[in-house]
Amino acid sequence: MPGAGKPSGQGTFDAGLYQRGIADAFRKLDPRQMARNPVMFVVELGSALTTLLWLQALTGHGEAPAGFIGAIAAWLWFTVLFANFAEALAEGRGKAQAESLKKMRQDTVAKKLATGFTIIKGREPAAASFSEVSSSSLRKGDLFYVKAGDTIPADGEVVEGVASVNESAITGESAPVIRESGGDRSAVTGGTVILSDWLIIRASANAGEGFLDHMIGLVEGAKRQKTPNEIALNILLIGLTMVFLVVCATLWAFSVYSVGAAGSGVPVTITVLVALLVCLAPTTIGGLLSAIGIAGMDRLIRRNVITTSGRAIEAAGDVDVLLLDKTGTITLGNRQAVDFIPVDGTTIDELAETAQLASLADETPEGRSIVVLAKEKYGLRGRTVGSTGSGPAMQFVPFTSQTRMSGVDYDTTQIRKGAADVMYTYITAVGNTASDDLKREVDTISRAGGTPLVVARNGRALGVIHLKDIVKGGMKERFSQLRRMGIKTIMITGDNRLTAATIAAEAGVDDFLAEATPESKLALIREYQTGGRMVAMTGDGTNDAPALAQADVAVAMNTGTQPAREAANMIDLDSNPTKLIEIVEIGKQLLMTRGALTTFSIANDLAKYFVIIPAAFVSTYPALAAINILGLHNAILSAVIFNALIIVFLIPIALHGVAYRPMSAEDALRNNILLYGAGGVIAPFIGIKIIDILLVLLGVG
Amino acid sequence: MKEYTELPSRIAAQVRPAVVILVFLTLVTGICYPLLITAIAQVAFPVQANGDLLIHNGKVAGSALIGQPFSSPKYFWGRPSATTPGPYNAGHSSGSNLGPSNIALTDAVKARVAILHLADPSNKLPVPVDLVTASGSGLDPHISPAAAYYQVSRVARERGMTEVAVHALVDSHVEPRQFGFLGEPRVNVLELNLALDDISGAGGTAVAPGAADPHASETPWLRLPDWVLLALFIGFFVVTVVPLGRFMVRVIGGEPHLLSFVFDPVEQRVLAWSQVRAGEEMDWKTFALAMIVFSLSGIAFLVLLQLAQPLLPLNPAGAGSPPLDLALNTAVSFVTNTNWQAYAGETGMSYLTQMAGLTVQNFASAATGLAVLAGLAYGFSRRSGSTIGNFWALLLRSTFLLIPFCIILSLLLVSQGTVQTLAGPVTVPLLDPYRATDGTPVTTQTIPLGPAASQIAIKQLGVNGGGFFNANSAHPFENPTPFSNYLEMVAILFIPAALCYSFGRMIGAGRKGVSLLIAMTIIFLPLLGLAIAAETGGNPAFAPSGIDQTPSELQPGGNMEGKEVRFGIVGSTLFSVVTTAASCGAVNGMHDSFMPIGGFVQLFMMQLGEVVYGGIGSGLYGMIVFAIIAMFIAGLMVGRTPEYLGKKIEPDEMTIATIIILIPIILILVMTALAVLTDAGRAAVFNPGPHGFSEILYAFTSASQNNGSAFAGLSANTPFWTLATAFCMFVGRFLPAVLVLALAGSLVQKKIVPGSEGTLSDHRPLFILWLVFVVVIVGALSFLPALALGPIVEHLMLTGGV
């Protein structure tokens, strides 16, 4: 999976994790904790009840042999412990992560600026203007000052200064990043370390409520709230458990009647009914449900994505419209020169050379790509600024927002390059006219979705440079995968319609929004939402914030501005715009894992009836032996053991999620029904038979 | 708190429409409709409408449809009859209700075989099964040709006639299958014996011997006409579902249709009297309140009507006041569309109660179900709304919808011999009088009549099931011919099947409704096959008795105990599976006497939640609830918050859906447990062993699922049983209905999610199969243990000989 973060998988487990998991499994037996999971709580009550029956049997007054009741009771306790262990294991991974984060959260000293402090641009505050306070006393809106070597005491927005900051504690990336006031790189995170220069920061969160605190809470699972789907599934599982509770309780009455009607046998024992109840209750999914949820969150964190709510992960699975920024997500960050087109009889070499000269001092990616193209295509060695010592002195004219041109002056030669409309004005101003040839070439490039740059020497147009957006490799495949998953991709760009359409076609997105403004983005999202769609988008700029707030799944880049990060419900620490696609996949995988294990759990029950019913009632009705198709000797014990062990076998699936490949809903359902539905019907027959054979070999029964 | 303080006034607001509409419906469906049918029937079908009386030598000699007891060896004997106090007591139709594993049944059959052998020792042929098994009505006028031919030698000897002559007479009295393919070939015993007396009197003129071979080719399992019946049955729906479905959408939606010119003005008038503003919409709570107020008014009225019947007109049989608990049971039973009958119609109900009470509720309860379904359809089809239609308007339209079809069906039934008259019972002489066990001679038979056809039409079309007579559709006056049997069977599913299509169209895609119909059918067909296989196979307990149970051209064979010859095995089994699949509860054979697997199918059909077709509206809304649960799990499996029919399924919907599924399961199991643990419960049991358990399980299953059929051996007319079943019927009907309305109220507020590639199809084959799996597995997981201790173990004991 491209862009996958830190290594994942079983490798992250170590012995300590297991030990702690086992200890936690016992700790979680506390009924107050168990009551939060009704299915497993019922199992725990059943375990306690059979244990009491076992104690009674030890005194010689039991309803069945003490050995049998004891074995059932023991395996019922194991069932609970296994489920607890799964949950503890999932939580354990998060806890380890939280530990390292907590180390960063230690109390630091904050240089709080006095209220009423006036910020003077470029001026470091004097020592007298701030007081040293504990970072824990900072409140939202406070101004504070940090200089090289300080740990930033709280989340905030840079209001003055430029500095390099080490954010490796959060992102794992060791290269320092620049943080400065204004623009898109103004957000800083508490706990990161400032390496050079100084900053004045306005705290954006109260102490203890910052990003780091939030993250710790999330990975610890403390703030994990049940998501709507989880609640709905829980309701279904409680419903099923109630059905089985009623089935088992009433079965005792039916058994009493049957004994009377048949005149033989004894009523079914409570031990057997409890065993039946636990086998039927959806313990497999009930026991693993919270582990699945925690593991889903964990998978996201390991891909360096922080969510503010579990709900957002689920929503990610439901997304059917993805809004993707063109730049950086679909195309490489910048346009590149791909061609030189001479006009009015200029030779191509002349144009190439002039273009290269005009761009020598242009350090923008576009400018560099022109130099590179001239060098690679026309063999022109890039003459650097200093290499023309023998030649005339060169004077570079940088791009300004007033002239909107750049170029170079030497001797009497004036070379300029710029956007077509600007250059037309420039050419006309010196008394020339833009030729039809030139206009035709400019139009051709525009129509093809490219950006034409006109190159002129001394007020005469030599030709046009074709700048083009380069679509990232593999995007087309990615988008067609998304389409198969039923997700529509929409490219957002500030380009004009023509350019946008060309890139959209090349990248294979379903639709595009050209000449996008914050308002039009917001309107687009609202339009889709009104139509019942779930919309996801990524953004980093302050102007993305309204749209991010509106989107169902909003991923902000960690490099983004504070408003963008606050508006989003997920933050990508890698600031990788294609991460959204992975987030969608994780969301789907989470739901699928729940669905698959629910199906498996319910399908299992069929076999258990075949196993337990004849065993429980054969004394009353010997004819029922015909249903014992497996020919079991220890049917009830085998079923209980199977029921407990299957939880252990399924822990890896719960923690890693079911295999996920992008495919249509129909195909996914078919595959999962066959695997977990049909598999769920068959597996217990085989498993229980094997356990029964082993029990016989061990001399039980 | 505001809602609670408002509650009394909100209830009060619904009382006026409830009373006005109840009075209106009583007049229209309880008085006008039966009188109209009676008038037409008396003019168009005077013979059939009045009991098909046989005039022999200028005198009434009996009814062609009601059998008479014959015990003299010189007469052909009919089916054994289990009526009390004596056989063929037309005043109290009933079957034996002996279970297939009941030793009393095997003993009775052995005794009958012994009597046949004693009367004709030289006849060593195996005895045709219908000659030694009691019919369902106890009044079966027919025996199979095989049973008649078997008796030829005895009758010939006793009368001093040649066997050829008697054989020929039988030949001439073999009625072929109706239209050549429906029902069983059969011999009317009374008519044959009358003819026999005529010939004997005339000196025994020989008629040319026929060519019938008593042992025509034996075919395994199903014979060609059986297949034809099944094909005609399914074919009927293939033809009617779409046009009827469209018509219903128009009627329910108040769009113009063929009969608007009558329906619309009447609807407006009645709503005006009710002070309901036309087009006024209700939120789900008001809708539910209206439904409850209307239903409670119906119960109250019906209780009073029953108690007052001795004082009211149209009571020719002189029915008295039932005990209060029985009256309440019957009232709840009919208002909940269950039509469980703890009373015998012949003696317990006056004509007025049957017409103005039971018939009205047959209409109203079906229409109520339809109205609730319409509310749910609005919940799905509307986007971000808050109202789900007007209960009163929907109730009226749904009732109107039923009336024209009832008129057509009633008249078709009368043409076949279903009675429709206001005249009282007629007394006819017995051809072969006998002495009762106390020695008094019995020389006459009193045949009950009544306005039956009009009630039976709505009993079937409204999926109600409450019979006019005790034996229900096994009674020859309710269901006289194979064709009437066919009509009654298709009538049960007529509306539930087409309603699937209507629902689909109401939510904007007919095919989505049809997919639910297909899912239902996928569950229906294999279970039908299982039941037919069990019943045609006959009862292994009879094997040592020298009985021929093999189906052939001359006899239906199979398990004939409790079944009528004219319908045969397939015609009876199909009826039983249809009536339990739909929550109808009409029976044309005694379910108590079906084979264990036949009974298993009946029980399981109901335990699946009455969602395989089910009641009008209620079956479909039950199936939709299952579809929501199936879609929820499926949606998780494809990694997306599930949506069904464009609406997202969220915790609220899952809570409601789960509770709806839970209610009947808990009711059935807990009440069954209560009954088996108490003396009052156990006292009602008729059959021993696991079959007795099945009787109790069946009773609560039928009541909670609003089916109404019974393992009728159970003596359900005791206060424990009438009150316990009334409780189940009421809770089993209205709690799910209110919750379905709550579901509609929750759905209607949601946006409609447009479909995409990522949306799981809610109508393609994969989802249909998944839905089937979910329905079956929920039913199986809930009831397998109980079924294992009832029909399953009974089957194993019967086949294993343990």
Side-chain angles (χ1 to χ4, degrees):
Chain A
M1 212 171 277
K6 297 168 188 170
S8 61
Q10 224 129 15
T12 52
F13 292 115
D14 54 39
L17 213 52
Y18 282 114
Q19 279 167 12
R20 207 158 47 163
I22 291 167
D24 281 349
F26 281 95
R27 211 165 292 137
K28 283 169 183 280
L29 287 176
D30 181 347
R32 282 166 300 179
Q33 273 206 48
M34 290 299 297
R36 283 187 301 179
N37 183 342
V39 179
M40 296 316 292
F41 187 55
V42 166
V43 181
E44 188 176 37
L45 290 180
S47 314
L49 182 59
T50 45
T51 308
L52 292 177
L53 290 170
W54 173 64
L55 292 174
Q56 184 196 34
L58 286 179
T59 67
H61 304 287
E63 56 171 15
F68 171 74
I69 302 179
I72 296 285
W75 279 98
L76 294 186
W77 281 115
F78 280 131
T79 312
V80 184
L81 287 171
F82 290 157
N84 287 352
F85 177 66
E87 191 178 294
L89 217 51
E91 285 172 352
R93 294 204 284 186
K95 277 191 182 138
Q97 233 161 342
E99 288 306 315
S100 67
L101 288 171
K102 274 181 187 161
K103 284 183 191 135
M104 297 167 44
R105 204 178 47 173
Q106 283 146 8
D107 229 16
T108 51
V109 173
K111 301 184 178 77
K112 188 180 166 191
L113 292 160
T115 30
F117 172 79
T118 17
I119 299 161
I120 300 158
K121 202 166 170 60
R123 166 105 50 97
E124 215 173 333
S129 55
F130 59 81
S131 54
E132 297 205 339
V133 299
S134 161
S135 63
S136 59
S137 70
L138 283 177
R139 287 285 164 270
K140 192 173 174 179
D142 287 350
L143 283 177
F144 58 88
Y145 160 75
V146 283
K147 64 179 201 307
D150 288 349
T151 298
I152 297 177
D155 288 5
E157 188 168 4
V158 179
V159 289
E160 187 49 47
V162 184
S164 59
V165 177
N166 179 355
E167 294 192 338
S168 63
I170 300 174
T171 61
E173 187 67 46
S174 58
V177 293
I178 298 296
R179 290 285 173 251
E180 59 188 334
S181 61
D184 288 350
R185 291 184 293 181
S186 60
V188 291
T189 309
T192 55
V193 179
I194 186 158
L195 296 178
S196 70
D197 304 290
W198 55 272
L199 296 170
I200 296 173
I201 299 167
R202 188 185 303 280
S204 60
N206 295 334
E209 292 168 20
F211 187 62
L212 206 57
D213 305 286
H214 204 82
M215 195 160 152
I216 292 168
L218 276 171
V219 293
E220 276 188 323
K223 284 199 185 164
R224 213 180 73 84
Q225 283 178 329
K226 281 192 176 135
T227 59
N229 266 320
E230 206 174 346
I231 294 168
L233 179 57
N234 228 340
I235 289 162
L236 182 67
L237 297 181
I238 292 171
L240 283 171
T241 309
M242 281 178 67
V243 167
F244 294 129
L245 215 79
V246 171
V247 165
C248 292
T250 56
L251 198 52
W252 178 78
F254 302 166
S255 159
V256 170
Y257 179 88
S258 299
V259 169
S264 64
V266 286
V268 63
T269 59
I270 294 170
T271 307
V272 169
L273 288 177
V274 171
L276 180 60
L277 172 62
V278 172
C279 286
L280 295 177
T283 47
T284 315
I285 177 68
L288 295 174
L289 191 56
S290 58
I292 294 170
I294 297 168
M297 186 83 82
D298 187 55
R299 271 200 296 283
L300 211 53
I301 290 168
R302 273 183 291 127
R303 286 193 175 71
N304 273 354
V305 177
I306 301 297
T307 80
T308 54
S309 74
R311 212 185 172 108
I313 312 180
E314 261 180 22
D318 293 345
V319 158
D320 27 29
V321 178
L322 279 190
L323 299 189
L324 298 167
D325 255 338
K326 182 198 78 174
T327 311
T329 309
I330 295 170
T331 61
L332 295 171
N334 307 289
R335 282 174 281 219
Q336 294 187 355
V338 290
D339 206 2
F340 298 121
I341 301 128
V343 295
D344 304 333
T346 318
T347 65
I348 182 122
D349 286 339
E350 192 181 359
L351 173 64
E353 189 177 355
T354 314
Q356 193 188 36
L357 276 172
S359 308
L360 277 180
D362 184 351
E363 285 300 322
T364 64
E366 286 89 351
R368 266 175 290 170
S369 79
I370 294 170
V371 175
V372 169
L373 180 72
K375 184 164 71 186
E376 286 178 352
K377 204 164 171 187
Y378 304 102
L380 299 173
R381 295 185 53 84
R383 289 168 291 183
T384 56
V385 182
S387 72
T388 53
S390 57
M394 282 189 168
Q395 265 214 299
F396 292 102
V397 181
F399 179 89
T400 68
S401 51
Q402 281 78 41
T403 61
R404 292 165 67 209
M405 293 184 293
S406 64
V408 60
D409 293 341
Y410 60 93
D411 300 338
T412 55
T413 314
Q414 205 183 34
I415 297 175
R416 291 288 182 275
K417 71 175 200 297
D421 54 339
V422 177
M423 293 300 287
Y424 289 166
T425 323
Y426 164 73
I427 291 165
T428 326
V430 298
N432 289 331
T433 51
S435 70
D436 291 346
D437 195 13
L438 174 67
K439 286 181 173 165
R440 194 171 54 243
E441 292 303 338
V442 164
D443 283 354
T444 311
I445 294 171
S446 294
R447 260 200 303 281
T451 307
L453 281 186
V454 173
V455 180
R457 191 170 58 201
N458 295 331
R460 195 177 68 86
L462 299 182
V464 191
I465 306 170
H466 185 171
L467 291 180
K468 194 177 163 186
D469 270 317
I470 305 297
V471 174
K472 284 182 176 175
M475 290 317 283
K476 200 157 191 161
E477 291 69 38
R478 209 76 197 259
F479 293 139
S480 74
Q481 268 182 7
L482 287 170
R483 201 169 301 121
R484 277 204 301 280
M485 288 157 62
I487 298 172
K488 184 172 178 174
T489 45
I490 297 174
M491 185 182 83
I492 307 285
T493 171
D495 294 342
N496 63 40
R497 279 195 62 78
L498 214 58
T499 314
T502 312
I503 308 285
E506 198 175 329
V509 293
D510 298 306
D511 205 349
F512 62 86
L513 176 69
E515 287 157 2
T517 60
E519 294 76 33
S520 66
K521 282 190 216 178
L522 192 59
L524 183 72
I525 294 176
R526 288 208 172 124
E527 187 189 321
Y528 275 111
Q529 286 176 333
T530 313
R533 305 284 191 190
M534 294 280 277
V535 181
M537 75 168 282
T538 53
D540 52 4
T542 301
N543 63 359
D544 287 330
L548 283 170
Q550 181 70 31
D552 301 287
V553 176
V555 183
M557 301 296 104
N558 191 43
T559 53
T561 60
Q562 191 62 29
R565 289 174 21 160
E566 277 173 14
N569 48 19
M570 291 192 196
I571 292 166
D572 178 18
L573 301 176
D574 296 340
S575 302
N576 169 7
T578 54
K579 191 68 78 60
L580 191 49
I581 298 171
E582 282 170 48
I583 294 171
V584 168
E585 289 177 353
I586 291 173
K588 286 199 178 291
Q589 201 182 22
L590 175 65
L591 294 186
M592 285 167 79
T593 308
R594 288 197 196 125
L597 292 188
T598 303
T599 308
F600 185 83
S601 194
I602 298 170
N604 265 212
D605 285 354
L606 220 50
K608 291 167 186 166
Y609 272 138
F610 274 94
V611 169
I612 295 181
I613 295 285
F617 297 105
V618 80
S619 77
T620 310
Y621 291 127
L624 281 174
I627 305 179
N628 184 6
I629 47 178
L630 291 179
L632 301 174
H633 298 90
N634 298 291
I636 294 167
L637 186 57
S638 304
V640 171
I641 294 176
F642 174 84
N643 195 55
L645 290 181
I646 196 71
I647 295 179
V648 178
F649 278 107
L650 292 175
I651 288 178
I653 290 187
L655 295 189
H656 298 290
V658 298
Y660 176 76
R661 280 181 299 129
M663 60 175 84
S664 76
E666 196 103 343
D667 292 338
L669 180 62
R670 184 177 303 111
N671 291 354
N672 281 328
I673 287 178
L674 286 178
L675 191 57
Y676 296 98
V681 171
I682 298 162
F685 281 107
I686 299 168
I688 292 172
K689 181 68 188 172
I690 291 172
I691 292 169
D692 188 64
I693 291 170
L694 291 176
L695 286 177
V696 170
L697 289 178
L698 289 170
V700 182
Chain B
M1 275 316 284
K2 188 159 171 276
E3 292 220 339
Y4 290 102
T5 52
E6 272 184 357
L7 196 61
S9 69
R10 290 181 70 172
I11 293 173
Q14 304 304 332
V15 170
R16 184 185 169 102
V19 172
V20 170
I21 289 174
L22 185 61
V23 169
F24 169 75
L25 291 185
T26 304
L27 290 175
V28 171
T29 63
I31 308 288
C32 300
Y33 159 71
L35 292 182
L36 173 75
I37 301 297
T38 309
I40 301 176
Q42 289 296 331
V43 173
F45 307 105
V47 176
Q48 294 96 318
N50 293 306
D52 267 300
L53 296 183
L54 284 173
I55 309 298
H56 192 69
N57 301 330
K59 284 187 296 187
V60 172
S63 163
L65 291 175
I66 303 293
Q68 292 193 358
F70 291 99
S71 49
S72 313
K74 62 172 182 163
Y75 283 117
F76 282 92
W77 297 344
R79 306 276 312 272
S81 165
T83 58
T84 51
Y88 288 92
N89 173 12
H92 194 279
S93 55
S94 90
S96 74
N97 286 317
L98 291 170
S101 63
N102 194 335
I103 196 78
L105 174 64
T106 327
D107 287 347
V109 167
K110 274 188 200 143
R112 290 165 192 152
V113 171
I115 292 170
L116 283 166
H117 282 164
L118 197 66
D120 190 12
S122 59
N123 190 347
K124 299 292 182 205
L125 291 170
V127 183
V129 65
D130 59 295
L131 197 52
V132 289
T133 48
S135 65
S137 61
L139 303 173
D140 193 344
H142 299 113
I143 52 175
S144 68
Y149 290 125
Y150 176 85
Q151 301 182 65
V152 164
S153 59
R154 183 193 77 227
V155 172
R157 196 185 61 244
E158 291 289 331
R159 290 190 176 253
M161 293 168 68
T162 63
E163 285 193 22
V164 175
V166 178
H167 196 284
L169 188 70
V170 173
D171 284 346
S172 66
H173 274 83
V174 171
E175 286 176 47
R177 299 178 198 278
Q178 202 171 8
F179 315 129
F181 52 82
L182 274 182
E184 295 291 328
R186 57 205 184 275
V187 175
N188 186 306
V189 181
L190 177 59
E191 289 179 30
L192 176 63
N193 284 333
L194 284 169
L196 200 57
D197 279 354
D198 289 349
I199 295 175
S200 302
T205 322
V207 185
D213 171 3
H215 274 269
S217 62
E218 287 176 3
T219 43
W221 199 38
L222 290 189
R223 301 153 302 170
L224 182 62
D226 298 329
W227 288 112
V228 171
L229 175 64
L230 294 174
L232 284 174
F233 180 78
I234 291 168
F236 178 85
F237 299 102
V238 173
V239 174
T240 59
V241 161
V242 170
L244 176 63
R246 279 174 202 266
F247 178 68
M248 289 197 291
V249 171
R250 297 194 152 270
V251 176
I252 294 167
E255 298 165 45
H257 56 85
L258 199 63
L259 296 170
S260 306
F261 71 97
V262 196
F263 291 180
D264 289 358
V266 178
E267 177 188 326
Q268 282 154 19
R269 203 85 291 275
V270 176
L271 289 181
W273 289 329
S274 311
Q275 293 178 356
V276 174
R277 256 176 290 138
E280 189 179 63
E281 291 264 320
M282 295 174 168
D283 63 14
W284 78 265
K285 288 176 187 163
T286 314
F287 197 110
L289 265 183
M291 175 188 76
I292 295 288
V293 170
F294 177 71
S295 300
L296 289 178
S297 322
I299 291 174
F301 176 71
L302 203 44
V303 168
L304 292 177
L305 187 64
Q306 289 178 75
L307 295 179
Q309 67 183 7
L311 311 172
L312 296 170
L314 284 177
N315 187 6
S321 290
L324 185 61
D325 65 290
L326 178 60
L328 181 70
N329 179 281
T330 306
V332 171
S333 165
F334 277 76
V335 171
T336 57
N337 199 251
T338 311
N339 307 45
W340 170 268
Q341 293 172 284
Y343 63 90
E346 291 92 331
T347 50
M349 294 288 162
S350 74
Y351 291 175
L352 185 72
T353 310
Q354 298 253 24
M355 286 161 50
L358 305 187
T359 303
V360 174
Q361 285 305 330
N362 276 349
F363 277 98
S365 62
T368 302
L370 200 47
V372 172
L373 178 80
L376 183 59
Y378 290 134
F380 277 108
S381 66
R382 291 178 180 177
R383 169 193 309 250
S384 311
S386 62
T387 58
I388 55 170
N390 183 304
F391 175 74
W392 303 116
L394 290 170
L395 178 73
L396 284 173
R397 289 172 194 166
S398 303
T399 311
F400 295 158
L401 171 72
L402 293 164
I403 293 173
F405 296 113
C406 283
I407 293 174
I408 296 169
L409 181 61
S410 319
L411 295 175
L412 281 171
L413 288 176
V414 175
S415 79
Q416 294 299 301
T418 305
V419 294
Q420 180 74 20
T421 171
L422 297 180
V426 292
T427 300
V428 297
L430 288 182
L431 186 59
D432 185 19
Y434 69 100
R435 282 186 182 280
T437 39
D438 62 0
T440 50
V442 180
T443 57
T444 59
Q445 187 183 38
T446 301
I447 297 175
L449 296 170
S454 55
Q455 186 178 329
I456 290 154
I458 184 60
K459 158 191 135 187
Q460 304 298 115
L461 279 169
V463 199
N464 292 286
F468 196 88
F469 301 106
N470 193 43
N472 208 296
S473 280
H475 196 292
F477 278 170
E478 283 206 19
N479 192 1
T481 65
F483 181 55
S484 69
N485 193 47
Y486 174 77
L487 289 174
E488 291 188 12
M489 288 191 292
V490 295
I492 295 175
L493 296 189
F494 183 59
I495 290 174
L499 199 53
C500 296
Y501 182 72
S502 305
F503 175 77
R505 283 188 71 96
M506 287 173 78
I507 58 156
R511 65 179 190 281
K512 297 197 175 184
V514 171
S515 69
L516 292 173
L517 181 62
I518 293 170
M520 295 173 180
T521 309
I522 290 174
I523 299 173
F524 176 77
L525 290 179
L527 285 170
L528 173 65
L530 189 63
I532 290 178
E535 297 303 319
T536 50
N539 190 337
F542 296 169
S545 310
I547 292 170
D548 183 8
Q549 300 189 75
T550 315
S552 73
E553 278 310 301
L554 291 179
Q555 68 160 4
N559 173 30
M560 281 301 286
E561 180 69 25
K563 297 189 181 69
E564 303 284 298
V565 167
R566 59 193 180 283
F567 311 138
I569 296 293
V570 176
S572 303
T573 309
L574 177 59
F575 197 112
S576 83
V577 178
V578 170
T579 198
T580 47
S583 78
C584 182
V587 296
N588 78 347
M590 294 302 112
H591 287 189
D592 219 349
S593 298
F594 271 62
M595 294 306 295
I597 294 302
F600 164 82
V601 170
Q602 295 156 3
L603 270 165
F604 197 54
M605 275 297 189
M606 294 186 281
Q607 288 166 344
L608 289 178
E610 283 299 9
V611 297
V612 177
Y613 312 116
I616 288 192
S618 61
L620 186 54
Y621 65 62
M623 192 60 159
I624 291 164
V625 168
F626 268 108
I628 286 176
I629 291 192
M631 184 51 93
F632 176 75
I633 303 173
L636 290 184
M637 274 197 285
V638 302
R640 210 180 139 91
T641 297
E643 60 225 26
Y644 183 62
L645 305 177
K647 299 275 181 153
K648 275 212 154 69
I649 304 168
E650 288 168 303
D652 283 353
E653 288 73 40
M654 280 306 287
T655 310
I656 298 171
T658 306
I659 297 174
I660 293 175
I661 306 269
L662 280 180
I663 292 165
I665 296 174
I666 292 177
L667 271 182
I668 294 167
L669 290 175
V670 171
M671 294 304 285
T672 305
L674 192 68
V676 298
L677 289 180
T678 53
D679 287 335
R682 284 193 301 260
V685 167
F686 177 65
N687 281 292
H691 197 87
F693 176 72
S694 303
E695 285 179 347
I696 297 179
L697 181 65
Y698 196 108
F700 286 109
T701 302
S702 173
S704 306
Q705 297 286 14
N706 300 131
N707 182 281
S709 64
F711 272 12
L714 191 82
S715 318
N717 190 4
T718 63
F720 171 86
W721 280 95
T722 49
L723 296 176
T725 50
F727 171 75
C728 287
M729 290 187 281
F730 190 83
V731 176
R733 170 75 168 184
F734 290 112
L735 203 48
V738 169
L739 287 168
V740 164
L741 292 173
L743 185 66
S746 169
L747 290 170
V748 78
Q749 297 170 8
K750 292 173 189 261
K751 296 176 200 164
I752 293 178
V753 182
S756 73
E757 266 293 301
T759 317
L760 191 57
S761 150
D762 46 22
H763 59 276
R764 272 188 246 156
L766 185 64
F767 180 70
I768 293 176
L769 289 176
W770 175 243
L771 174 60
V772 166
F773 175 76
V774 170
V775 171
V776 171
I777 203 147
V778 169
L781 293 182
S782 309
F783 294 106
L784 262 184
L787 291 168
L789 295 177
I792 294 176
V793 73
E794 188 188 5
H795 169 78
L796 293 172
M797 288 163 76
L798 208 51
T799 52
V802 181

